[in-house]
Amino acid sequence: MVGHGGPVAEMITTHDLGKTYGGRAVVEGLDLRVPKGCVYGFLGPNGSGKSTTMKMLLSLVRPTTGEIRIMGRPMRRSTRRELLGHIGSLIESPPAYGHLTGRENMRLVQRLLELNDDQVVRAVHTVRLHDHLDKRVRDYSLGMKQRLGIAMALAREPRLLILDEPTNGLDPAGIDEIRRLLKQLADGGITVMVSSHLLDEIDRTATVLGILGNGRMLFQGTRDQLLARSTPDVLIDTPEPQRAAALTAQWHPTRVDGEAVRLSGLDHKGTAGVVSRLVRDGIDIYGVRRDAQSLEDVFMDLTGGRGL
Amino acid sequence: MIGRAVANEFAKMRRLRVVPVVVAMVAGVVALSCFAFTTPGFLDSVGDPSGQPWQWLLGSMSLAVPLTSPILLAVLASRQVDIEHQANGWLFSQTSGLPPGYVCRVKFVATGAVVVAATLAQSGLVFALGTLVGITVAFPAGQWLGYTASIVVVNLVLFALHLLLSARIGNQLVGLGVGVLGVFVALTSTGMPTWLARCFPPWGYYALAMPVDAREGGMVWLAPAHLSVLALGVAGGVLFMLITRLFDRQEA
Ligand SMILES: Nc1ncnc2c1ncn2[C@@H]1O[C@H](COP(=O)(O)OP(=O)(O)OP(=O)(O)O)[C@@H](O)[C@H]1O
Ligand SMILES: [Mg+2]
C-alpha cells in the first residue's frame, strides 16, 4: 500500500482503472500493484487489454475510470511530462526509422532528451547492439529491432521500463536473450513491467505476475502463490481403484484414472485423511502422489474459462 | 524543445530522397519556364521592351508552378509523415513528450523551410536564366517579388494541408491522388474567372497569384489578388493550428 509520507514500496499502483471503448469495457476495475525493482509479468490472451492498460499507465490513453500512481505520484495529462522522463517504454511495435541506421536512431533519442554520449553508449551495450549500429534498421532482424527499441527506451536511464510484448515474433534464442536482458535490468534496480500472451516467455524472469482476462485481473502475485492457488490432483495408486473410488467419492470429487484414483481439490490434511480411511478399509496403497501441474496449466485454467 | 525537435526532423530527412524531390521541384519549374525562349522572336527581343521578355518568362513560370507544385508538395509531405506511420513514431514521440500535433507542427517548420527555399530558388533561378540569355529590359521587380511571395504562401498552405492529410490517412496513395487532382485543379483555375478560382483553395490560388496573362497582341499585367492570398495564408495557419491541437488531444 502507498504509505502516508513514508517511502513508497510500489512503482505503480492503480485503483479501479478502467477503459471503455464505444460502450464496451476493455479494461475494468484494475488494481495493479507493481513493487519497485521487480520484473512484473503482465499476462493475458490476445485482446485482453494489456496494451490498453500500458497505454493508460503512460497516459497515452485517458482512463474512463480510476486513477494511476507512479512512484507515488498521480499520473495524469498534467503530470505526465515530468513522469515520462523516468519511464522508458516500448508499446506494440519497436519504434525506429527504417531508413536510418541504429546509430542515427539513437542520436534522435539523444538529441530529443538531451542525453550524453555515455548514456547512449551504455544503453546500446546493454542490449549488445554496438556492432550493428551502422546498419540501416530496415535491414535489422526482428530481434535486433526489439533490442534497439529497448535501447531507445533505456537511454534515458529510466526507473521504470514498460515493455509491451517485447518477445513477440522472436525465435527461442531471441526470447532467451530478452529474458536475460530483463533479469539484468531488474538486477540493476530498474522496475520492469513486461507483457506477453504466452506465460512461458516470461515465467522464469518475472518475480510478480498479473494475469488479465477480458480486461479484468484474474490473479496478481508471485509465481508460487499462483501455483498454490490451484491445488493439483492427488493420485492414489491401488490394486482396487474401483472400490477405493466408491469410498472416497463420498467426501471428495473422485475419478478412476487407470490403476489410480484421482482426487481433486485435496489439501495435505485431506490427503492424509483419505489415505488413513482407505487403509482402515483394508485397501492396499502402493503410492500417493500429486499430479505434475505446470504453471501453464494454471494459466490456461485462469484465462481459458475452465478454472474461473 | 522545439529547436531540438526541428533538428531531429532534419536528421530524419536523410535518405528520404528529399533532395531529389526538391531538385525536381526547382528544375521542373526552371525547365518549363524555358519554354518562353521558344516563343518566336523571344531571343531576338531580349533588349526590346515591346518584346516583353520578362513578362513572357514570368508568364511561363506562373504556369510551370501550378503544373509541378501540387504533386511534388504532396510527395514531400507524404514522405515526412509516412516514416512516422512506419516507425511507430507517433507513439515514441508521445512518450518522449511530443504529442502528435506537435510533431506535425515541427514537421511543418522543418520541411516548410525547405519548401520556402525551393520556391525562392525557382524564382531566383528563372530570373538568373533571364539575365543569362541577355535580357536587358528593365526588370519588373515589384510584380516578380509579389508573385514569388504569393506562391510561397500558397505552397506552404498546400504543404500543410498534405501534412495533415498524410497524418490522418495512413494510406499514402490518398494524399498522392489528391496531389494529382490538385495539379488538374490548379491548371484549370488559371483559365477561370477570379471569383471561381477563389472557390478552390488552396489550388485555385496559384491562379489568383498570376501577375501576367497572354492576350492577343502580347502579355498584359494583371492585378494579382494578393489580399486573397494573404487571407488564404492566415486562414490556413489558423486551421492548421486548430487541427494539430486536436491531434494533440487525441488518444493513441
Ligand atoms: N482505440 C480503440 N478503439 C476501440 N477498441 C479498442 C481500441 N484499442 C483497443 N481496443 C479493443 O480493446 C481490446 C483490448 O485491446 P488491447 O490491444 O489492449 O489487447 P492486448 O491484450 O494488448 O492484445 P494483444 O495480445 O493482441 O496485443 C480489444 O478487443 C481491442 O479491439
Ligand atoms: Mg497488445
Side-chain angles (χ1 to χ4, degrees), chain A residues 21 24 26 45-52 92 165 197:
Chain A
Y21 278 123
R24 196 169 69 91
V26 165
N46 292 130
S48 54
K50 304 180 297 290
S51 299
T52 305
E92 277 168 353
E165 310 222 19
H197 59 273

Side-chain angles (χ1 to χ4, degrees), chain A residues 154-174:
Chain A
L154 271 181
R156 65 185 82 180
E157 302 191 332
R159 297 170 60 188
L160 168 64
L161 201 56
I162 294 183
L163 306 175
D164 190 13
E165 310 222 19
T167 47
N168 209 3
L170 299 190
D171 60 13

Side-chain angles (χ1 to χ4, degrees), chain A residues 88-191:
Chain A
S89 59
L90 189 64
I91 299 292
E92 277 168 353
S93 63
Y97 299 95
H99 66 289
L100 300 178
T101 64
R103 191 184 307 282
E104 286 162 347
N105 272 288
M106 288 306 293
R107 197 156 294 147
L108 293 177
V109 179
Q110 179 177 11
R111 191 179 296 121
L112 196 58
L113 302 173
E114 294 182 293
L115 308 174
N116 58 40
D117 290 344
D118 274 356
Q119 289 174 302
V120 172
V121 167
R122 234 173 300 146
V124 167
H125 270 266
T126 304
V127 300
R128 300 196 291 111
L129 214 56
H130 40 278
D131 291 334
H132 306 284
L133 280 185
D134 292 314
K135 222 195 280 189
R136 282 194 219 184
V137 170
R138 179 189 299 153
D139 302 325
Y140 273 21
S141 70
L142 186 59
M144 286 159 74
K145 273 186 204 157
Q146 294 282 15
R147 270 146 61 204
L148 178 65
I150 295 176
M152 289 167 83
L154 271 181
R156 65 185 82 180
E157 302 191 332
R159 297 170 60 188
L160 168 64
L161 201 56
I162 294 183
L163 306 175
D164 190 13
E165 310 222 19
T167 47
N168 209 3
L170 299 190
D171 60 13
I175 292 172
D176 201 50
E177 170 113 42
I178 299 276
R179 245 191 300 215
R180 261 182 292 145
L181 178 60
L182 298 187
K183 194 136 202 116
Q184 178 193 337
L185 291 172
D187 290 343
I190 300 177
T191 308

Side-chain angles (χ1 to χ4, degrees), chain A residues 39-44 50 54 163 165-167 175 178-179 182-183 192-211 223 295-296 299:
Chain A
V39 175
Y40 186 98
F42 195 40
L43 292 160
K50 304 180 297 290
M54 288 178 145
L163 306 175
E165 310 222 19
T167 47
I175 292 172
I178 299 276
R179 245 191 300 215
L182 298 187
K183 194 136 202 116
V192 184
M193 180 179 189
V194 52
S195 77
S196 176
H197 59 273
L198 297 172
L199 171 74
D200 191 42
E201 286 182 355
I202 50 176
D203 155 27
R204 267 164 288 162
T205 351
T207 42
V208 183
L209 296 170
I211 299 179
R223 195 172 180 243
L295 215 44
E296 195 71 27
F299 180 62

